[in-house]
Structure formats: C-alpha cells, structure tokens
Amino acid sequence: MMDNFLKWLMSGNHLAYASSLLTFCCLALFGLGSFIYKKYLVRKGEFFISPTFNTKNITYMGIMIACSVSVTVVISLVAPITVFPPIRVAFEGIMIKITGMIFGPIIGLIVGLITELLTMLFIPSFIHPAYFLVAIGFGFWAGMASFTFKLKSKQQWITITIITLFIIAATAFLYNTLQYLTPDENGNVKLFGIAVKKELIPMLFIIMMGILLSICYIMCGIFVLLKKQKWLEIILPIFLICIVTEILITVLTAAWGDAGLLTSNTDDGYISMVALRVVQIPLKIIFNTALLATVYSVLRPLIKK
C-alpha cells in the first residue's frame, strides 16, 4: 500500500498537490486550535473579535502589502527579468515572510494572497495556481515557525532540535519517494533533456540536506564562540523559516508552476524543476536568512514602538 502511494506521488505533479494539501490541513488545524483556545480557554465570545485583527494590525497589513507590491513593481521597471514568475515571487516573498514572522500565520497568509493578486494586476505575466499557493504558503509557514522568536538564548536548543528533526524527516521522506522515479529501459531519468541515473537524484538530495544541517551547526558554533546570543535568537528562527518554506513551498510547489511555464512535458518537467531547486537549497537558504535577518532587525523595533 505504501509503495503504491509513493508511486502515485512521483507521477505527474502529485508531489506538489500533496505539499499544498499539507499546508491547508495545517491551516485547518491551526484555525481549529485557535477557535478552541479563544472560545473556551480565554473568554467566551472573543473568537470573532480577535485582537489579531485590531486597527493597528490591519494598518500594518496594508503597509506590508503596499511595500511588497510597490517594491516588486519598481524592480520590474528597472530589471524586466522580474516579470519572470519565479523571480517575481522571490521578491514578493521577502515582505510576505516578514509579515508572517511578525504578525502570525493568518495575517501572513492574507498578505501573501492579496500581494500576489495585486502584483499580477500591475505586472501581467504567466498565471498559474502554484504561484498563488506559494505566496499563501510563504506567509502561513513563516507565521507558524515564528513562535521560536519567543525562545530565549538558553532555549534555542529547541529551535535547533526542530530544525534537525525537520531536515531529517524531509530527507527521509523525499529520499524514499524519489526512489520511485520512473526510469527508462536503461535505468535513467531525464533532467532538462539529459539522461541521468535514477539513483543520483535521491543521493543529490541527501548531500544537499547534509550540507544544510552542517551549515546550521557551524553557524550556531560561531555565534556561541563570539558570544552573540542575541543574534542567535534572531538567526535561528529565520533559518528555520527559510528551511520550511524552501522545502515545502519553493522546492515542491513552485516547481509545479515552473514546469508549466518552462517545459512542454509537465511530468518530466516537474522533476527537473525539483532537482534544480534541490541543488540551489544551501545557497538560497543562506542568502534568504541573511536578507530576512537584516530586514527583520530594521522593521521589528519600528513596529514594536
């Protein structure tokens, strides 16, 4: 039964569908948990007057949406390559993730969806449902992982443990799933039109995940030796957010849209896009972590005031 399920995942774009379904299932569970907490554990009747949507936060939502859309539009005028959907979504994702990090998953999700809709109006481009799911996923998962910002220096072992467990779980699942790639008669699969041994793709993913985990431990060791615990409280949660969004959203979901945009054969094209994004994982996560940490360090004090 498990073999049949894994084979189904590796056919067509089913892996992208499964990733999107996981996001919406977690969203439903989060909504149910919030309802129970606010309805029965706080005070009855407060669920529909949630402080999350007070005037101040709604104002910040508008500011974040305006910043994300305006920055993306201006950059597209200077560098027209940003009309290309994968690059456009990457620029949008910065402010969407920041919003989720500061205001939580629901506001992050709303800002992501509205940002993508408005950007599509100002920058007409290739339309694909995957990119809307990517924008939603960025805001939601950034908000879900943002609870680690509340952990103090001596509690950061919790964040490190979550990062380690997530990487191990993602590696184990995708390694076993990628074993069910459908090869040709020579035992090869095609990536970008090039025949590659089927066994190389799962091994490539393991190598990239190993590099990523090593980067995490090295980074923690450097901050501890330099006695920069305050920076560790910012960097580690952002590193977790980047890992979760990169694997669940960028690698698995965005590759679906990229395959529809760049390839004629969506089955082979999807796997090719996944493989391309897997190779980029360490570099992209380092870059995104540095960028988000810088923007967060500037915006967070202003919003708190």
Side-chain angles (χ1 to χ4, degrees), residues 19 23 134 137-138 141 244-254:
S19 175
T23 297
V134 167
F138 279 162
W141 285 112
V244 173
T245 54
E246 186 68 22
I247 294 176
L248 291 182
I249 306 300
T250 305
V251 172
L252 298 182
T253 305

Side-chain angles (χ1 to χ4, degrees), residues 186-219:
N186 297 318
N188 298 325
V189 294
K190 287 187 177 181
L191 296 180
F192 313 107
I194 301 173
V196 178
K197 286 293 182 181
K198 187 186 79 167
E199 295 77 12
L200 289 179
I201 299 178
M203 290 305 300
L204 178 65
F205 186 74
I206 285 184
I207 292 170
M208 291 301 140
M209 290 296 100
I211 293 172
L212 195 59
L213 198 56
S214 300
I215 291 171
C216 176
Y217 293 148
I218 292 171
M219 180 179 63

Side-chain angles (χ1 to χ4, degrees), residues 61-248:
M61 285 173 63
I63 293 173
M64 291 296 187
I65 292 170
C67 287
S68 181
V69 174
S70 59
V71 167
T72 307
V73 171
V74 169
I75 291 176
S76 71
L77 296 175
V78 177
I81 194 174
T82 53
V83 176
F84 198 55
I87 300 176
R88 188 197 73 234
V89 171
F91 278 107
E92 291 175 14
I94 296 170
M95 294 307 297
I96 294 172
K97 290 175 186 176
I98 290 291
T99 305
M101 287 159 56
I102 296 175
F103 298 105
I106 300 301
I107 290 182
L109 182 152
I110 295 171
V111 168
L113 178 60
I114 296 175
T115 297
E116 178 65 13
L117 289 171
L118 290 177
T119 305
M120 288 298 301
L121 292 176
F122 289 107
I123 311 176
S125 181
F126 179 76
I127 299 175
H128 196 282
Y131 298 121
F132 291 95
L133 294 172
V134 167
I136 290 172
F138 279 162
F140 175 73
W141 285 112
M144 289 295 288
S146 64
F147 79 94
T148 52
F149 282 105
K150 299 178 181 179
L151 301 175
K152 302 302 179 183
S153 300
K154 294 182 179 179
Q155 298 174 312
Q156 285 305 316
W157 65 269
I158 298 175
T159 308
I160 297 173
T161 302
I162 294 172
I163 291 172
T164 303
L165 292 177
F166 180 82
I167 290 178
I168 291 174
T171 303
F173 174 75
L174 287 175
Y175 176 80
N176 288 315
T177 302
L178 291 171
Q179 300 290 336
Y180 290 87
L181 286 169
T182 304
D184 58 19
E185 61 276 5
N186 297 318
N188 298 325
V189 294
K190 287 187 177 181
L191 296 180
F192 313 107
I194 301 173
V196 178
K197 286 293 182 181
K198 187 186 79 167
E199 295 77 12
L200 289 179
I201 299 178
M203 290 305 300
L204 178 65
F205 186 74
I206 285 184
I207 292 170
M208 291 301 140
M209 290 296 100
I211 293 172
L212 195 59
L213 198 56
S214 300
I215 291 171
C216 176
Y217 293 148
I218 292 171
M219 180 179 63
C220 291
I222 291 173
F223 280 116
V224 169
L225 289 175
L226 295 177
K227 298 182 179 180
K228 300 288 185 180
Q229 279 78 9
K230 287 296 181 182
W231 270 103
L232 200 61
E233 293 175 13
I234 296 175
I235 295 295
L236 272 180
I238 292 177
F239 193 75
L240 172 62
I241 289 169
C242 290
I243 290 172
V244 173
T245 54
E246 186 68 22
I247 294 176
L248 291 182

